[in-house]
């Protein structure tokens, strides 16, 4: 597997957060200035490209599943 230093920052971020079920919307926004829907769209796009063939197939599949499922909306106080 290629070291994460040579991987796109978005992919490195996703791989780092994968063991924890993925990053929160707040973490994604702080790191990239993206809303979760856009982050997941870009991640799915990258995962479908040949540039991620170096990832272990099981990890790639978990990340693809994460990137294509709808984000869970957190409830706010008072809702």
């Amino acid at each position: 597997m290629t070291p994460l230093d040579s991987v796109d920052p978005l992919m490195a971020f996703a791989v780092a957060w994968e063991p924890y079920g993925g990053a929160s919307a707040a973490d994604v926004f702080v790191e990239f200035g993206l809303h979760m829907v856009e982050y997941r769209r870009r991640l799915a796009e990258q995962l479908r490209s040949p540039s991620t063939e170096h990832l272990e197939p099981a990890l790639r599949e978990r990340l693809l599943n994460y990137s294509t499922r709808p984000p869970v909306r957190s409830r706010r106080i008072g809702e």
Side-chain angles (χ1 to χ4, degrees):
M1 189 163 148
T2 304
L4 290 179
D5 294 344
S6 64
V7 176
D8 179 272
L10 190 102
M11 187 61 60
F13 183 81
V15 169
W17 277 98
E18 190 276 333
Y20 309 102
S24 70
D27 291 321
V28 169
F29 191 79
V30 167
E31 188 71 20
F32 300 107
L34 298 173
H35 291 282
M36 188 60 91
V37 172
E38 179 63 13
Y39 165 73
R40 288 182 180 205
R41 186 196 67 74
R42 290 183 187 189
L43 180 59
E45 185 177 294
Q46 283 190 3
L47 288 163
R48 291 184 181 112
S49 76
S51 66
T52 60
E53 289 177 350
H54 67 278
L55 290 176
E56 295 174 6
L59 173 60
R60 189 175 186 202
E61 187 64 28
R62 286 192 308 271
L63 288 172
L64 191 56
N65 287 338
Y66 165 79
S67 68
T68 57
R69 74 175 181 244
V72 176
R73 183 171 179 241
S74 60
R75 291 186 48 139
R76 295 181 185 187
I77 297 174
E79 286 187 354

